[in-house]
Amino acid sequence: MRSNVWFRQVHRWLSIVFTVAVIANFVAMGLGEPPPWIVYAPLPPLFVLMFTGLYMFAIPYAARWRGSKA
């Protein structure tokens, strides 16, 4: 049960980081040609968000498959 809480916390904080990176990307594009590190900054949090989201999506199905009531 502890790992579920940890995954949810990581997912929440990474969503904030991702949102800030996307906003910074739009602001930088509005000011001219942005450097590559700003353009690609949203990608690492996005990939981690994808994996944590898929894990949280699969938790109820895995619990049902194992026969427990979650």
Side-chain angles (χ1 to χ4, degrees), residues 29-45:
M29 285 185 181
L31 297 175
E33 185 66 29
W37 66 271
I38 291 180
V39 173
Y40 297 117
L43 291 179

Side-chain angles (χ1 to χ4, degrees), residues 2-35:
R2 269 302 195 193
S3 66
N4 292 345
V5 174
W6 185 81
F7 269 97
R8 289 185 191 282
Q9 248 347 76
V10 167
H11 192 80
R12 284 183 191 130
W13 281 103
L14 277 175
S15 67
I16 294 169
V17 171
F18 174 73
T19 304
V20 169
V22 169
I23 291 170
N25 200 342
F26 277 106
V27 169
M29 285 185 181
L31 297 175
E33 185 66 29

Side-chain angles (χ1 to χ4, degrees), residues 34-67:
W37 66 271
I38 291 180
V39 173
Y40 297 117
L43 291 179
L46 180 63
F47 288 128
V48 180
L49 278 170
M50 181 181 66
F51 291 121
T52 57
L54 286 172
Y55 173 78
M56 289 189 300
F57 179 77
I59 289 172
Y61 298 106
R64 231 181 286 150
W65 181 68
R66 284 187 283 172

